[in-house]
Amino acid sequence: MIPSEIPSRPWQTDLFYVQQAWFLVVVDYYSKFPFVKKLHNLTARAVVNEMKMLFAENGIPRSLQCDNGTQFTSGEFQQLASQFGFEIVTSSPHYPRGHGFVERQVQTIKKTILKCRETKEDIDLALLALRTTPLSSNIPSPAELLNGRMFKSTLPGKIQPSKNQEEVRNWLKVRQENQSYYYNRHTKELPKLHRDQAIYAQDPVRKTWNPARVVKEGDSPRSYIVETGTGTHLRRNRIHLRPNNAPNNLANNLSSLVPQGRMMSQSSGVNSQELTPADNSANNLSNSDQITRPSSANPQCSTLAETENSPRKSRSGRVIRAPERLNL
């Protein structure tokens, strides 16, 4: 778990975007104050117009963190960032936990709106109560953290001056460290991947693992640029990548990923007519991507033919048997 940095001052902070159920939700990370804007359509122009009004009322943030939706990757939104002078930071594709804070806020707001529609209550009053509720016993409400004053709501209460912001930041940091500690107790950090390493990349739609190759590390933490078998470059989070440790398929996977311009026949004394298709695929690799095949002269190293004839085993060592089907 990589905790986000606690900003030094309200509104000069990261903003998290998400669009769901025709509502645009913008959350200030320091104060946890949610802004909810209803959209009449999902075009980039509608999102840009709402963001302009939001910046005019509350100021321009330092940076905005959002998902990879077309509204936020469009040219109009990029032009807005250049005109207003803020940075756009995108999360890893198909990895909602990368911006889990705003996802949690979206769930809370969506449940509040659905509850108000069922009970015929005012949605704006419900959102006001959500914004004026203290975060904990020693941390003020989001409205007080963002605006430096307490909001008057329909609930009875006494308006008191806000506490020192530096003290609030320390409390937020302690609470964040506690959350990180309890989360990391049941997790482990995955090993890093190196360049040109053969891997499997998960298809986010079909949930299948396809051979790929690591091109380089991405700009964001635990993000990698990978190349698929078709030559397409994708950015994926480390949780969607697995190292390819299979010795039988390593040569075939790498040969399918090497560009045609880099493929050349390997100079050796072996007759090309006696090579199998798997051998030809391995010999067509470039000199930088060649894979040394085990020699039969070494008693501790089995040949490729012996490896293919040996029974397949799972990771736990269990022999995998082909299913027996009725030949009807």
Side-chain angles (χ1 to χ4, degrees):
M1 181 178 181
I2 304 179
S4 301
E5 181 183 0
I6 301 296
S8 57
R9 294 186 299 273
W11 201 248
Q12 294 183 356
T13 177
D14 291 348
L15 290 179
F16 294 81
Y17 288 82
V18 69
Q19 187 283 323
Q20 189 169 343
W22 298 91
F23 286 92
L24 175 67
V25 179
V26 184
V27 185
D28 175 39
Y29 188 81
Y30 173 82
S31 62
K32 316 297 187 290
F33 191 97
F35 298 90
V36 184
K37 301 292 184 179
K38 187 174 182 179
L39 299 177
H40 299 287
N41 56 71
L42 303 181
T43 60
R45 172 59 60 184
V47 174
V48 168
N49 292 337
E50 293 295 340
M51 296 305 301
K52 284 184 176 180
M53 291 188 290
L54 187 63
F55 295 160
E57 297 170 356
N58 299 275
I60 303 174
R62 181 184 306 168
S63 60
L64 302 174
Q65 181 171 350
C66 56
D67 55 14
N68 292 271
T70 56
Q71 297 85 357
F72 307 115
T73 58
S74 62
E76 292 184 74
F77 202 83
Q78 299 290 336
Q79 184 179 1
L80 174 68
S82 177
Q83 179 183 0
F84 280 69
F86 62 88
E87 180 185 5
I88 299 177
V89 180
T90 59
S91 59
S92 298
H94 309 290
Y95 190 63
R97 280 186 291 180
H99 50 284
F101 168 71
V102 73
E103 293 289 343
R104 179 69 263 180
Q105 291 285 340
V106 168
Q107 294 180 16
T108 302
I109 295 173
K110 189 175 182 180
K111 290 180 180 179
T112 302
I113 295 176
L114 293 176
K115 190 67 175 179
C116 291
R117 289 178 177 176
E118 293 176 0
T119 59
K120 307 300 181 180
E121 296 289 337
D122 194 325
I123 297 178
D124 294 326
L125 287 180
L127 293 177
L128 177 62
L130 184 65
R131 294 161 177 160
T132 56
T133 302
L135 298 178
S136 65
S137 59
N138 54 358
I139 302 180
S141 64
E144 187 175 353
L145 291 176
L146 179 63
N147 299 279
R149 63 182 180 87
M150 296 184 64
F151 281 17
K152 184 180 183 304
S153 63
T154 55
L155 299 176
K158 183 179 180 181
I159 299 179
Q160 299 177 353
S162 60
K163 297 181 180 180
N164 187 287
Q165 291 185 0
E166 190 65 27
E167 185 179 3
V168 173
R169 289 186 70 251
N170 294 333
W171 286 336
L172 289 173
K173 186 176 181 180
V174 170
R175 190 175 76 161
Q176 191 177 72
E177 290 176 352
N178 292 335
Q179 293 174 349
S180 179
Y181 168 75
Y182 287 110
Y183 180 87
N184 292 334
R185 288 192 308 173
H186 306 287
T187 59
K188 64 177 181 179
E189 186 174 359
L190 297 175
K192 287 188 176 182
L193 304 176
H194 56 81
R195 185 176 181 180
D196 292 333
Q197 181 177 356
I199 58 171
Y200 289 107
Q202 186 184 36
D203 189 326
V205 179
R206 299 190 178 119
K207 304 300 180 182
T208 57
W209 295 89
N210 304 319
R213 178 177 67 91
V214 177
V215 178
K216 63 177 181 178
E217 291 191 20
D219 298 331
S220 56
R222 300 171 183 171
S223 179
Y224 292 88
I225 305 298
V226 300
E227 182 181 2
T228 62
T230 59
T232 306
H233 285 202
L234 303 174
R235 188 177 72 155
R236 290 292 180 263
N237 191 273
R238 176 61 181 84
I239 198 172
H240 296 142
L241 305 176
R242 290 180 181 176
N244 183 1
N245 299 324
N248 296 340
N249 299 328
L250 184 57
N252 295 333
N253 292 341
L254 286 180
S255 62
S256 63
L257 296 177
V258 175
Q260 295 295 332
R262 293 174 52 192
M263 296 182 63
M264 58 182 297
S265 61
Q266 182 180 5
S267 59
S268 63
V270 183
N271 189 1
S272 60
Q273 297 179 356
E274 298 176 357
L275 295 179
T276 61
D279 296 331
N280 290 328
S281 178
N283 290 332
N284 287 334
L285 293 174
S286 62
N287 294 331
S288 59
D289 296 328
Q290 289 179 4
I291 299 175
T292 303
R293 296 182 55 196
S295 175
S296 58
N298 189 352
Q300 297 180 355
C301 209
S302 59
T303 62
L304 182 60
E306 295 175 354
T307 304
E308 292 178 350
N309 295 331
S310 60
R312 297 175 55 193
K313 294 184 179 181
S314 63
R315 294 182 179 179
S316 60
R318 182 176 60 85
V319 177
I320 301 177
R321 295 184 176 88
E324 297 181 359
R325 299 184 175 90
L326 295 178
N327 189 11
L328 300 178

PDB file of all heavy atoms in Angstrom, residues 290-303:
ATOM      1  N   GLN A 290      19.031 -14.269 -27.789  1.00  0.00           N
ATOM      2  CA  GLN A 290      19.191 -15.696 -27.948  1.00  0.00           C
ATOM      3  C   GLN A 290      19.044 -16.384 -26.606  1.00  0.00           C
ATOM      4  O   GLN A 290      19.401 -15.844 -25.566  1.00  0.00           O
ATOM      5  CB  GLN A 290      20.575 -15.994 -28.535  1.00  0.00           C
ATOM      6  CG  GLN A 290      20.719 -15.577 -30.020  1.00  0.00           C
ATOM      7  CD  GLN A 290      22.110 -15.875 -30.536  1.00  0.00           C
ATOM      8  OE1 GLN A 290      22.893 -16.447 -29.802  1.00  0.00           O
ATOM      9  NE2 GLN A 290      22.379 -15.502 -31.761  1.00  0.00           N
ATOM     10  N   ILE A 291      18.520 -17.609 -26.673  1.00  0.00           N
ATOM     11  CA  ILE A 291      18.319 -18.422 -25.484  1.00  0.00           C
ATOM     12  C   ILE A 291      19.167 -19.670 -25.638  1.00  0.00           C
ATOM     13  O   ILE A 291      19.066 -20.391 -26.637  1.00  0.00           O
ATOM     14  CB  ILE A 291      16.849 -18.796 -25.304  1.00  0.00           C
ATOM     15  CG1 ILE A 291      16.013 -17.517 -25.139  1.00  0.00           C
ATOM     16  CG2 ILE A 291      16.650 -19.720 -24.117  1.00  0.00           C
ATOM     17  CD1 ILE A 291      14.551 -17.788 -25.075  1.00  0.00           C
ATOM     18  N   THR A 292      20.032 -19.933 -24.677  1.00  0.00           N
ATOM     19  CA  THR A 292      20.916 -21.088 -24.724  1.00  0.00           C
ATOM     20  C   THR A 292      20.134 -22.322 -24.391  1.00  0.00           C
ATOM     21  O   THR A 292      19.496 -22.395 -23.332  1.00  0.00           O
ATOM     22  CB  THR A 292      22.071 -20.899 -23.726  1.00  0.00           C
ATOM     23  OG1 THR A 292      22.744 -19.688 -24.036  1.00  0.00           O
ATOM     24  CG2 THR A 292      23.042 -22.064 -23.803  1.00  0.00           C
ATOM     25  N   ARG A 293      20.168 -23.310 -25.324  1.00  0.00           N
ATOM     26  CA  ARG A 293      19.433 -24.544 -25.111  1.00  0.00           C
ATOM     27  C   ARG A 293      20.293 -25.514 -24.340  1.00  0.00           C
ATOM     28  O   ARG A 293      21.521 -25.555 -24.479  1.00  0.00           O
ATOM     29  CB  ARG A 293      19.042 -25.148 -26.457  1.00  0.00           C
ATOM     30  CG  ARG A 293      18.091 -24.287 -27.276  1.00  0.00           C
ATOM     31  CD  ARG A 293      17.727 -24.980 -28.556  1.00  0.00           C
ATOM     32  NE  ARG A 293      17.176 -26.289 -28.280  1.00  0.00           N
ATOM     33  CZ  ARG A 293      17.051 -27.230 -29.212  1.00  0.00           C
ATOM     34  NH1 ARG A 293      17.478 -27.001 -30.430  1.00  0.00           N
ATOM     35  NH2 ARG A 293      16.535 -28.403 -28.907  1.00  0.00           N
ATOM     36  N   PRO A 294      19.712 -26.342 -23.512  1.00  0.00           N
ATOM     37  CA  PRO A 294      20.502 -27.283 -22.742  1.00  0.00           C
ATOM     38  C   PRO A 294      21.099 -28.350 -23.644  1.00  0.00           C
ATOM     39  O   PRO A 294      20.504 -28.793 -24.622  1.00  0.00           O
ATOM     40  CB  PRO A 294      19.476 -27.875 -21.762  1.00  0.00           C
ATOM     41  CG  PRO A 294      18.168 -27.700 -22.442  1.00  0.00           C
ATOM     42  CD  PRO A 294      18.273 -26.405 -23.213  1.00  0.00           C
ATOM     43  N   SER A 295      22.294 -28.752 -23.318  1.00  0.00           N
ATOM     44  CA  SER A 295      23.013 -29.771 -24.089  1.00  0.00           C
ATOM     45  C   SER A 295      22.765 -31.137 -23.491  1.00  0.00           C
ATOM     46  O   SER A 295      22.702 -31.301 -22.271  1.00  0.00           O
ATOM     47  CB  SER A 295      24.507 -29.447 -24.091  1.00  0.00           C
ATOM     48  OG  SER A 295      25.238 -30.486 -24.741  1.00  0.00           O
ATOM     49  N   SER A 296      22.633 -32.133 -24.385  1.00  0.00           N
ATOM     50  CA  SER A 296      22.390 -33.486 -23.905  1.00  0.00           C
ATOM     51  C   SER A 296      23.626 -34.086 -23.278  1.00  0.00           C
ATOM     52  O   SER A 296      23.566 -35.124 -22.614  1.00  0.00           O
ATOM     53  CB  SER A 296      21.923 -34.364 -25.080  1.00  0.00           C
ATOM     54  OG  SER A 296      22.906 -34.351 -26.110  1.00  0.00           O
ATOM     55  N   ALA A 297      24.818 -33.434 -23.521  1.00  0.00           N
ATOM     56  CA  ALA A 297      26.032 -33.958 -22.909  1.00  0.00           C
ATOM     57  C   ALA A 297      26.073 -33.711 -21.420  1.00  0.00           C
ATOM     58  O   ALA A 297      26.808 -34.369 -20.685  1.00  0.00           O
ATOM     59  CB  ALA A 297      27.266 -33.326 -23.572  1.00  0.00           C
ATOM     60  N   ASN A 298      25.305 -32.734 -20.972  1.00  0.00           N
ATOM     61  CA  ASN A 298      25.276 -32.449 -19.535  1.00  0.00           C
ATOM     62  C   ASN A 298      24.235 -33.345 -18.897  1.00  0.00           C
ATOM     63  O   ASN A 298      23.046 -33.242 -19.200  1.00  0.00           O
ATOM     64  CB  ASN A 298      24.929 -30.975 -19.305  1.00  0.00           C
ATOM     65  CG  ASN A 298      25.107 -30.579 -17.851  1.00  0.00           C
ATOM     66  OD1 ASN A 298      25.354 -31.439 -16.999  1.00  0.00           O
ATOM     67  ND2 ASN A 298      24.993 -29.285 -17.564  1.00  0.00           N
ATOM     68  N   PRO A 299      24.613 -34.250 -18.012  1.00  0.00           N
ATOM     69  CA  PRO A 299      23.625 -35.181 -17.429  1.00  0.00           C
ATOM     70  C   PRO A 299      22.622 -34.476 -16.540  1.00  0.00           C
ATOM     71  O   PRO A 299      21.561 -35.001 -16.262  1.00  0.00           O
ATOM     72  CB  PRO A 299      24.495 -36.175 -16.649  1.00  0.00           C
ATOM     73  CG  PRO A 299      25.747 -35.418 -16.318  1.00  0.00           C
ATOM     74  CD  PRO A 299      25.984 -34.489 -17.479  1.00  0.00           C
ATOM     75  N   GLN A 300      22.931 -33.241 -16.047  1.00  0.00           N
ATOM     76  CA  GLN A 300      22.021 -32.550 -15.147  1.00  0.00           C
ATOM     77  C   GLN A 300      21.054 -31.654 -15.890  1.00  0.00           C
ATOM     78  O   GLN A 300      20.234 -30.985 -15.287  1.00  0.00           O
ATOM     79  CB  GLN A 300      22.829 -31.694 -14.149  1.00  0.00           C
ATOM     80  CG  GLN A 300      23.737 -32.532 -13.249  1.00  0.00           C
ATOM     81  CD  GLN A 300      24.510 -31.652 -12.282  1.00  0.00           C
ATOM     82  OE1 GLN A 300      24.432 -30.437 -12.363  1.00  0.00           O
ATOM     83  NE2 GLN A 300      25.229 -32.270 -11.374  1.00  0.00           N
ATOM     84  N   CYS A 301      21.142 -31.640 -17.196  1.00  0.00           N
ATOM     85  CA  CYS A 301      20.311 -30.721 -17.978  1.00  0.00           C
ATOM     86  C   CYS A 301      19.613 -31.519 -19.066  1.00  0.00           C
ATOM     87  O   CYS A 301      20.270 -32.165 -19.889  1.00  0.00           O
ATOM     88  CB  CYS A 301      21.185 -29.633 -18.602  1.00  0.00           C
ATOM     89  SG  CYS A 301      20.310 -28.098 -18.855  1.00  0.00           S
ATOM     90  N   SER A 302      18.305 -31.511 -19.102  1.00  0.00           N
ATOM     91  CA  SER A 302      17.539 -32.284 -20.079  1.00  0.00           C
ATOM     92  C   SER A 302      17.382 -31.487 -21.353  1.00  0.00           C
ATOM     93  O   SER A 302      17.353 -30.262 -21.352  1.00  0.00           O
ATOM     94  CB  SER A 302      16.173 -32.646 -19.513  1.00  0.00           C
ATOM     95  OG  SER A 302      15.480 -31.477 -19.178  1.00  0.00           O
ATOM     96  N   THR A 303      17.252 -32.215 -22.472  1.00  0.00           N
ATOM     97  CA  THR A 303      17.059 -31.554 -23.754  1.00  0.00           C
ATOM     98  C   THR A 303      15.623 -31.092 -23.903  1.00  0.00           C
ATOM     99  O   THR A 303      14.756 -31.436 -23.098  1.00  0.00           O
ATOM    100  CB  THR A 303      17.426 -32.520 -24.905  1.00  0.00           C
ATOM    101  OG1 THR A 303      16.549 -33.644 -24.842  1.00  0.00           O
ATOM    102  CG2 THR A 303      18.881 -32.980 -24.784  1.00  0.00           C
TER     103      THR A 303
END
